[in-house]
């Protein structure tokens, strides 16, 4: 270190010896928080306009600062801006560049402001923009799922509970189940936006400022819906980050469930779907392998988003008011979660429409495992047999089929008659899988017609949002 803190650090006044070089690196955040640069400038522009409107600085100073900020903005976009660790973070790098470029007037920018309310503002501006992008990405995914559901509205497949064949469903219905998960995710993200969209600037370091600032004007200029109510809370609050990470974790949990099914269905044992080559890779040793890497990786990345959530919850635990340097650790997990969620969404957006659906294999798998046993019980109930008795009778039918090593519809009429006199007519129609589908035509049901109706409702909901 050749220069003293007095010359390099914007806060160097009270220091007599330079910062330890390792400490300088250890405490700096510029390597990662430069991602906030354009939001930092946006906030500074609004702050400058307000300082001038409130007559805290002159309009001449305002013009000079704004044009200086504009030049810095351009150099950041052009990638010619010189970032330096010695200036610690994105805020001081930009402020220092402003002073170097326009001179002493640049020193007025930070009037009535602290990096504490500045960084809280930057993160909110950043996250608001990212949430909007993610919402539109997720809405595209909803559209992809509705398209596929509509296309496969009458494709029969086995529905499972406990991963045991349970009842016949349509592949379209299954796609709409995924769709509902993502619908809730979009609703949550949109709802969280109003808690992100609150202006902390004006809170100063912790106790506000003695200048006659106009916070409403800043909020209007930056499109914030509200102004924070308490300066201590505003500089230290990271609830909105934790809320985002929790929403992102829920979406990743949904993605991991979707991907788990894709991996299972793509396996030789199921062969319900075929993943496109573009989304798989080979093995370095086994020449025959085509591995479902993309869904596996998405499943795996879920852990890292949960990690960010746990990291932030733990970061904020027990912190006394107001701002503490701990808070600088909020950014990397947040950025990583935003990137991960966005990349995983993009991958699914491209992967899902390219799926090949093996209808025959699904039908064959459904035809094993007494899949219409519940329909037979319902049929008995409709003949006034109490459900518990019907359950018992069908249980005996299943036992008989196990004995004969056949499916229910392969039993003779005599087999049925021997078990119950109620099992006489229409039984083979009742045991038919397609009839079982059609019979579930209610709102939320799996019948092809119900799936088509649900797709229409889903499209309408998406359009009206
Ligand atoms: N780089 C800091 C952060 O990300 C900015 C705020 C620093 N404030 C302070 N008083 N040290 O949190």
């Amino acid at each position: 270190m050749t220069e003293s803190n007095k010359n390099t650090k914007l806060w160097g006044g009270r220091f007599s010896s330079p910062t330890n070089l390792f400490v300088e690196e250890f405490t700096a955040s510029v390597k990662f928080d430069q991602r906030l640069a354009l939001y930092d400038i946006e906030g500074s522009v609004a702050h400058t306009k307000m300082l001038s409107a409130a007559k805290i600085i002159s309009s001449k100073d305002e013009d000079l600062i704004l044009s200086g900020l504009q030049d810095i903005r351009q150099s950041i976009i052009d990638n010619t801006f010189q970032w330096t660790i010695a200036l610690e973070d994105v805020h001081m790098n930009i402020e220092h560049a402003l002073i170097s470029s326009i001179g002493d007037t640049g020193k007025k920018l930070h009037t009535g402001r602290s990096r504490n309310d500045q960084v809280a503002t930057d993160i909110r501006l950043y996250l608001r923009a990212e949430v909007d992008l993610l919402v539109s990405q997720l809405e595209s995914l909803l559209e992809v799922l509705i398209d596929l559901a509509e296309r496969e509205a009458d494709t029969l497949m086995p529905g499972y509970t406990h991963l045991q064949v349970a009842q016949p469903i349509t592949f379209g219905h299954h796609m709409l189940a995924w769709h509902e998960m993502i619908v809730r995710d979009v609703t949550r993200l949109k709802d969280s936006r109003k808690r992100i969209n609150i202006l902390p600037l004006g809170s100063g370091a912790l106790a506000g400022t003695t200048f006659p600032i106009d916070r409403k004007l800043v909020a209007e200029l930056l499109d914030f819906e509200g102004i924070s109510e308490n300066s201590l809370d505003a500089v230290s609050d990271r609830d909105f980050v934790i809320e985002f990470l929790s929403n992102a974790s829920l979406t990743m949990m949904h993605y991991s469930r979707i991907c788990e099914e894709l991996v299972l269905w793509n396996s030789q044992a199921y062969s319900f779907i075929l993943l496109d080559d573009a989304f798989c890779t080979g093995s370095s040793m086994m020449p025959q392998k085509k591995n479902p890497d993309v869904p596996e990786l998405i499943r795996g990345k879920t852990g890292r988003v949960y990690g960010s959530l746990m990291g932030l919850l733990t970061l904020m635990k027990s912190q006394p008011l107001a701002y503490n340097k701990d808070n600088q650790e909020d950014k990397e997990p947040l950025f990583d979660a935003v990137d991960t969620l966005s990349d995983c969404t993009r991958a699914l957006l491209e992967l899902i429409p390219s799926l090949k659906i093996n209808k025959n294999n699904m039908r064959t798998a459904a035809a094993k495992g007494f899949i219409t046993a519940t329909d037979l019980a319902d049929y008995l109930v409709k003949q006034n047999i109490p459900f518990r008795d019907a359950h018992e009778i069908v249980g005996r039918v299943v036992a008989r089929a196990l004995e004969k090593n056949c499916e229910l519809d392969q039993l003779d009429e005599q087999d049925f008659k021997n078990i119950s006199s109620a099992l006489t007519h229409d039984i083979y129609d009742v045991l038919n899988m397609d009839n079982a589908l059609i019979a579930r035509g209610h709102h939320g049901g799996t019948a092809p017609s119900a799936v088509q109706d649900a797709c229409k409702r889903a499209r309408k909901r998406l359009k009206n949002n």
Side-chain angles (χ1 to χ4, degrees):
M1 186 149 199
T2 49
E3 299 161 297
S4 79
N5 277 341
K6 268 194 183 35
N7 297 329
T8 55
K9 303 282 191 267
L10 290 169
W11 41 252
R14 61 102 62 221
F15 286 81
S16 49
S17 60
T19 321
N20 172 300
L21 264 189
F22 171 70
V23 169
E24 189 166 271
E25 271 209 33
F26 184 68
T27 54
S29 54
V30 65
K31 268 195 220 147
F32 50 85
D33 69 12
Q34 55 180 272
R35 189 195 274 236
L36 298 172
L38 296 185
Y39 300 106
D40 193 69
I41 291 177
E42 202 183 329
S44 289
V45 165
H47 182 65
T48 305
K49 287 181 178 168
M50 182 279 289
L51 288 178
S52 164
K55 309 230 172 318
I56 300 167
I57 61 169
S58 70
S59 63
K60 219 176 107 212
D61 288 345
E62 174 194 2
D63 291 345
L64 198 55
I65 294 175
L66 291 183
S67 88
L69 286 173
Q70 179 51 32
D71 292 345
I72 294 172
R73 188 174 184 278
Q74 201 51 53
S75 69
I76 290 168
I77 292 169
D78 297 341
N79 223 359
T80 54
F81 188 87
Q82 289 296 316
W83 298 102
T84 157
I85 274 185
L87 287 162
E88 200 175 317
D89 57 23
V90 61
H91 322 292
M92 292 200 291
N93 267 268
I94 290 174
E95 195 185 332
H96 189 270
L98 181 72
I99 296 166
S100 306
S101 124
I102 67 167
D104 281 355
T105 307
K107 296 178 180 168
K108 296 185 181 176
L109 168 64
H110 212 52
T111 311
R113 183 178 80 168
S114 153
R115 277 185 296 154
N116 298 351
D117 55 351
Q118 188 179 354
V119 71
T121 304
D122 292 3
I123 304 171
R124 284 174 185 271
L125 287 170
Y126 158 80
L127 192 53
R128 183 179 74 184
E130 292 296 343
V131 162
D132 289 346
L133 287 174
L134 284 166
V135 163
S136 77
Q137 251 190 324
L138 289 179
E139 284 179 341
S140 303
L141 184 57
L142 290 178
E143 217 173 311
V144 158
L145 289 170
I146 301 170
D147 288 346
L148 187 54
E150 217 164 42
R151 212 179 75 203
E152 305 294 339
D154 55 9
T155 302
L156 188 143
M157 72 180 289
Y160 297 91
T161 60
H162 314 270
L163 218 51
Q164 305 281 313
V165 168
Q167 292 181 338
I169 57 169
T170 49
F171 189 78
H173 195 52
H174 202 111
M175 290 305 101
L176 288 184
W178 291 357
H179 168 272
E180 283 308 303
M181 299 177 190
I182 313 297
V183 165
R184 291 193 293 275
D185 294 333
V186 170
T187 317
R188 265 188 291 268
L189 274 181
K190 283 185 168 172
D191 187 63
S192 74
R193 194 187 193 278
K194 49 180 191 266
R195 283 176 291 282
I196 298 170
N197 206 17
I198 305 283
L199 174 78
L201 205 63
S203 302
L206 75 162
T209 172
T210 56
F211 294 98
I213 54 170
D214 181 352
R215 300 190 63 206
K216 251 197 169 139
L217 175 62
V218 180
E220 267 166 38
L221 291 171
L222 294 174
D223 236 352
F224 279 111
E225 285 167 71
I227 298 169
S228 59
E229 286 293 335
N230 181 291
S231 62
L232 292 172
D233 176 53
V235 291
S236 60
D237 168 34
R238 295 295 182 269
D239 292 4
F240 65 101
V241 176
I242 296 177
E243 186 179 354
F244 170 78
L245 293 173
S246 139
N247 291 338
S249 295
L250 277 170
T251 306
M252 289 303 298
M253 179 268 285
H254 291 148
Y255 286 179
S256 77
R257 296 180 68 187
I258 290 170
C259 288
E260 173 74 6
E261 293 190 322
L262 290 173
V263 171
L264 282 175
W265 294 347
N266 187 66
S267 69
Q268 284 85 352
Y270 281 77
S271 293
F272 286 0
I273 57 165
L274 193 65
L275 286 176
D276 197 272
D277 279 3
F279 298 96
C280 300
T281 60
S283 154
S284 59
M285 184 185 184
M286 300 169 283
Q288 85 283 12
K289 288 299 285 290
K290 176 181 148 183
N291 299 325
D293 290 46
V294 173
E296 285 176 297
L297 202 52
I298 296 174
R299 197 174 59 183
K301 281 181 188 287
T302 307
R304 112 192 235 149
V305 176
Y306 290 3
S308 292
L309 172 63
M310 286 307 136
L312 257 284
L313 280 169
T314 313
L315 177 73
M316 295 311 295
K317 180 185 176 293
S318 312
Q319 269 199 49
L321 286 171
Y323 176 89
N324 301 286
K325 185 75 168 177
D326 312 44
N327 286 9
Q328 184 165 286
E329 287 288 303
D330 61 353
K331 286 164 208 66
E332 286 163 294
L334 173 62
F335 296 159
D336 190 77
V338 166
D339 292 345
T340 304
L341 182 56
S342 173
D343 287 351
C344 292
T345 308
R346 186 185 160 176
L348 285 175
L349 264 173
E350 296 189 28
L351 180 150
I352 291 175
S354 75
L355 292 177
K356 292 212 171 45
I357 317 294
N358 297 330
K359 297 185 194 218
N360 288 342
N361 293 349
M362 290 194 197
R363 186 169 274 275
T364 309
K368 289 178 218 150
F370 320 120
I371 197 163
T372 46
T374 314
D375 295 79
L376 195 59
D378 288 354
Y379 152 92
L380 291 172
V381 170
K382 284 166 196 161
Q383 295 180 56
N384 267 333
I385 297 177
F387 182 76
R388 276 293 147 233
D389 295 338
H391 191 285
E392 163 70 24
I393 292 168
V394 178
R396 274 187 273 138
V397 175
V398 169
R400 179 71 187 133
L402 283 169
E403 226 171 73
K404 290 181 80 174
N405 194 21
C406 68
E407 287 299 316
L408 299 184
D409 60 358
Q410 290 165 339
L411 290 169
D412 307 331
E413 277 182 59
Q414 196 52 50
D415 289 317
F416 288 108
K417 264 191 213 154
N418 289 347
I419 293 167
S420 165
S421 57
L423 292 169
T424 45
H425 56 95
D426 301 338
I427 16 175
Y428 294 102
D429 286 344
V430 170
L431 292 172
N432 177 284
M433 294 193 291
D434 294 286
N435 289 340
L437 283 185
I438 293 166
R440 291 167 170 83
H442 55 80
H443 189 125
T446 192
S449 63
V451 171
Q452 292 289 3
D453 289 348
C455 285
K456 282 196 197 95
R457 287 196 301 274
R459 262 193 220 292
K460 213 161 147 193
R461 252 193 295 175
L462 196 55
K463 231 195 243 146
N464 294 340
N465 273 342

